[in-house]
């Protein structure tokens, strides 16, 4: 059985981000992999070491302020789990919270967890639109699509980006990077939701979780021709 932790589902759910959890769960179940979903809200106890996949969605500045203190109380346990290979997908506001800080236009600094080496600053103009990013999955370059809508501009330190922007703005609209990646942590500005639109990435996150459990990571094929055709149509439309 794989255990899925959906952190702050009531606060972080912009643009249908919970669809990422739904896609992850369904693609496991279609293969006969049992899944247990834990919805963790402010103050709820959770042992990240027992989880296999952690999802942290996007939210507004207000929601990020509400969660900052709660997350700080969980910092050590989450860091230990990340170092142990916990598979994490963090989107937009959830992504920003894993970094050092978020600085608002008024200069107020919202502390992040400092788990990853990047920081975010608010911009005056929002970066909105469809995105195509090229990233590496198991040694192969894969193109994924999503939708971004953020004013935050993220700048990476000593950490790898998730991928290279082919269409859209990405982390900051300047350096061509999108998201961040550390061990089994995947950060991105791509809503969409990201996983339903990109089944190859979803399967990769499932395989990583199985591998961490010491289980066979090779997944049984699915008849997901419709999902793959939809992904290809979207890619072609955005790249033309």
């Amino acid at each position: 059985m794989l255990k899925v932790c959906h952190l702050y589902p009531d606060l972080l759910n912009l643009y249908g981000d919970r669809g990422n959890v739904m896609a992850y769960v369904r693609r496991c179940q279609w293969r006969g992999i049992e899944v247990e979903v834990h919805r963790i809200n402010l103050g709820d106890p959770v042992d990240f070491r027992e989880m296999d996949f952690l999802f942290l969605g996007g939210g507004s500045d207000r929601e990020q302020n509400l969660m900052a203190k709660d997350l700080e109380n969980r910092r050590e346990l989450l860091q230990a789990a990340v170092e142990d290979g916990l598979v994490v997908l963090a989107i937009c506001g959830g992504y920003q919270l894993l970094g050092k800080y978020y600085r608002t236009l008024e200069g107020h600094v919202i502390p992040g967890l400092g788990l990853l080496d990047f920081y975010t600053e608010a911009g005056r103009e929002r970066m909105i639109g469809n995105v195509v990013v090229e990233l590496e999955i198991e040694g192969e370059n894969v193109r994924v699509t999503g939708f971004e809508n953020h004013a935050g501009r993220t700048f990476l330190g000593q950490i790898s980006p998730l991928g290279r922007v082919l269409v859209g703005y990405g982390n900051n609209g300047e350096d061509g990077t999108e998201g961040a990646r550390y061990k089994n942590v995947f950060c991105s500005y791509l809503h969409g939701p990201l996983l339903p639109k990109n089944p190859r990435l979803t399967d990769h996150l499932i395989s990583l979780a199985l591998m961490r459990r010491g289980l066979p990571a090779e997944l049984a094929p699915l008849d997901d021709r419709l999902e793959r055709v939809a992904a290809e149509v979207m890619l072609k439309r955005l790249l033309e």
Side-chain angles (χ1 to χ4, degrees), residues 98-155:
L98 298 183
K100 293 179 177 178
Y101 63 83
Y102 180 96
R103 189 189 304 277
T104 68
L105 280 177
E106 296 75 25
H108 177 60
V109 173
I110 302 172
L113 292 183
L115 298 183
L116 305 180
D117 186 12
F118 63 80
Y119 65 92
T120 303
E121 297 179 341
R124 294 193 177 279
E125 296 182 4
R126 299 194 70 82
M127 294 182 279
I128 304 172
N130 289 307
V131 188
V132 180
V133 175
E134 186 171 76
L135 53 88
E136 182 183 316
I137 295 178
E138 297 173 346
E140 181 181 349
N141 289 332
V142 176
R143 292 177 175 181
V144 301
T145 63
F147 172 78
E148 63 182 335
N149 184 355
H150 56 103
R153 283 150 171 76
T154 295
F155 296 90

Side-chain angles (χ1 to χ4, degrees), residues 5 17 23 36 86 112 118 235:
C5 176
D17 277 340
E36 188 174 88
L86 175 65
F118 63 80
L235 269 175

